[in-house]
Short mmCIF file of all heavy atoms in Angstrom, two decimals:
data_model
loop_
_atom_site.label_atom_id
_atom_site.label_comp_id
_atom_site.label_asym_id
_atom_site.label_seq_id
_atom_site.Cartn_x
_atom_site.Cartn_y
_atom_site.Cartn_z
N VAL A 5 108.84 145.21 98.34
CA VAL A 5 108.52 146.19 97.31
C VAL A 5 108.42 147.57 97.94
O VAL A 5 108.12 147.70 99.13
CB VAL A 5 107.17 145.86 96.61
CG1 VAL A 5 107.24 144.53 95.93
CG2 VAL A 5 106.01 145.90 97.59
N MET A 10 107.29 153.65 101.20
CA MET A 10 107.14 152.72 102.32
C MET A 10 107.62 151.35 101.88
O MET A 10 107.36 150.92 100.76
CB MET A 10 105.68 152.64 102.76
CG MET A 10 105.12 153.95 103.32
SD MET A 10 105.87 154.42 104.88
CE MET A 10 105.16 153.15 105.95
N GLY A 71 108.56 133.16 137.75
CA GLY A 71 107.93 133.85 136.64
C GLY A 71 106.88 133.01 135.95
O GLY A 71 106.66 131.84 136.28
N LEU A 102 99.91 130.09 135.46
CA LEU A 102 101.34 129.93 135.26
C LEU A 102 101.68 130.05 133.77
O LEU A 102 102.69 130.63 133.39
CB LEU A 102 101.82 128.56 135.78
CG LEU A 102 103.33 128.31 135.68
CD1 LEU A 102 104.09 129.27 136.59
CD2 LEU A 102 103.67 126.87 136.04
N MET A 232 102.71 111.40 133.47
CA MET A 232 102.14 112.66 133.96
C MET A 232 101.70 112.47 135.42
O MET A 232 100.51 112.35 135.73
CB MET A 232 100.95 113.08 133.09
CG MET A 232 101.32 113.32 131.64
SD MET A 232 99.88 113.76 130.62
CE MET A 232 99.04 112.18 130.52
#
Side-chain angles (χ1 to χ4, degrees):
V5 299
M10 296 293 289
L102 183 66
M232 299 178 287

